[in-house]
Each structure stands twice: as C-alpha cells, then as structure tokens.
Amino acid sequence: LTVENQPVIGAPTLEQLQAAVDRLTPRGGPGFLILDGPGQNYAQVAGGDGVYSVEWREYLGDAFRHWVVGIRGSPSRKEVAVPTNGFVVTVLENERLSASNVKTILTAYAAGRGRPAEFTWRDITDRFA
C-alpha cells in the first residue's frame, strides 16, 4: 500500500487499508493511494474528505485493461471534479464515489475477488496507448 508522502506498507491489513482511505484529503494530503496487486496490477484512489475516484488496472500477459469505477444505475455524461492534494481528477458524475464505495472496492481487490459487480466499469485503456 502506497499512500502519498507516507512510508509504504507491505501486506496491509484491512484496517490499515480502510484507515488509509479515511486519511485522504485534498487539503494538504495525502491525496491518493495505490494498492499494488500481483504483477503490475493495481487499484488506485484519488480524492478525500468523502469524494473519491477509483481506477483499477489488470494485466493479462503484456497487455492491460484500465477502468474507472462508477455507481451502477446512475449513468452520466456530465463531468465533475474530484479534488486531490494539489490536483483535480475529472470523472463522470457517477464515478464520484463515497468512502464506503472505495472501501468495498479495495476490500474486493485486496481479497483477489475481481471487480465487484455492484459497480460500473468504464474502460479507459485507450488513454494509455
């Protein structure tokens, strides 16, 4: 677990992961965290103070897919800002998540369960080509 401007935590507990989400804030940081998985896979969170964005990357061989997570049943084309520590992430309105959403997603990621079906997954892999 890598939290902006903090020491890396190897094999974080669920409590450490949830506490890291709760510490995120755009007001001086930390403003993001990255949870590494096997290989080059990861989930990352930006934002804080109750407003977050989550991305999830999975590799299959040398190729990867990269998604932004959203709330199911709330499709939107409207872009909104998620402030981080000195930066702003622009996502679709349904992709602005709560701390509870983030913890659900990261818990599934840490347990190796795959992308939770209760969320939408917008593929943004082409942004990294």
Side-chain angles (χ1 to χ4, degrees):
L1 172 64
T2 302
V3 179
E4 181 183 25
N5 297 324
Q6 297 183 6
V8 173
I9 300 172
T13 65
L14 184 56
E15 291 78 19
Q16 288 172 312
L17 190 56
Q18 291 180 349
V21 172
D22 291 336
R23 282 194 311 273
L24 295 179
T25 178
R27 295 173 290 117
F32 71 86
L33 67 78
I34 301 169
L35 182 59
D36 292 314
Q40 298 178 64
N41 296 338
Y42 63 84
Q44 63 185 9
V45 181
D49 297 342
V51 178
Y52 307 86
S53 173
V54 176
E55 296 180 8
W56 180 302
R57 181 175 287 197
E58 289 180 1
Y59 274 83
L60 181 57
D62 291 336
F64 67 84
R65 303 288 300 268
H66 196 105
W67 295 274
V68 177
V69 186
I71 302 297
R72 186 171 295 287
S74 302
S76 176
R77 293 180 188 262
K78 179 182 175 186
E79 292 185 337
V80 296
V82 174
T84 70
N85 183 25
F87 189 71
V88 172
V89 177
T90 302
V91 296
L92 298 179
E93 190 171 31
N94 71 309
E95 296 165 346
R96 186 169 46 192
L97 305 175
S98 70
S100 176
N101 299 143
V102 172
K103 291 174 184 179
T104 297
I105 295 160
L106 292 181
T107 298
Y109 186 85
R113 292 197 302 258
R115 295 180 288 125
E118 65 261 38
F119 297 95
T120 62
W121 299 86
R122 182 168 58 98
D123 190 335
I124 61 167
T125 305
D126 59 346
R127 291 187 184 176
F128 302 94

